[in-house]
Amino acid sequence: MLNEALLNPKQIAVIGGSDDLHKPGGKILKNIREGGFAGKIYVVNPSRTDVQGLPTYASVDDLPCTNLAVLAIPAQACLETVTKLCKKGTKAFIIISAGFGEESHEGKLLE
């Protein structure tokens, strides 16, 4: 059920979560936490052991299955990340990224 995974997830993974609230991954994570989400939140950040007080995973390969993944990463990393998460059972995705068709012909092809 795609709509259920997107609109009422039990777990959310924030790929590219950050402590920097001026970055999309930082602001998104803060909003999820302050918005009253009661489920499990997973954060992926390869260069940090914790982000906003939450433990992090170094890679999406290490994540448990999640209903929803929010990607706040460069466009060129999105396809591989979505593919890996689909294989783990993730059903819904929100992609907040730059570098697709608005930036170049190569980005348009990736889009």
Side-chain angles (χ1 to χ4, degrees), residues 3-79:
N3 288 340
E4 186 67 19
L6 183 61
L7 300 175
N8 192 26
K10 306 258 185 291
Q11 314 90 8
I12 299 175
V14 179
I15 317 304
S18 174
D19 281 322
D20 185 344
L21 301 182
H22 296 289
K23 292 184 175 183
K27 190 65 166 178
I28 290 164
L29 181 58
K30 180 179 185 285
N31 288 343
I32 291 169
R33 296 183 77 204
E34 290 183 355
F37 178 68
K40 184 73 176 157
I41 302 171
Y42 303 111
V43 181
V44 175
N45 184 313
S47 60
R48 305 289 309 269
T49 57
D50 69 89
V51 168
Q52 295 186 34
L54 296 173
T56 63
Y57 292 85
S59 166
V60 294
D61 296 323
D62 303 325
L63 280 175
C65 182
T66 63
N67 298 127
L68 171 63
V70 180
L71 281 63
I73 56 176
Q76 62 268 25
C78 289
L79 180 58

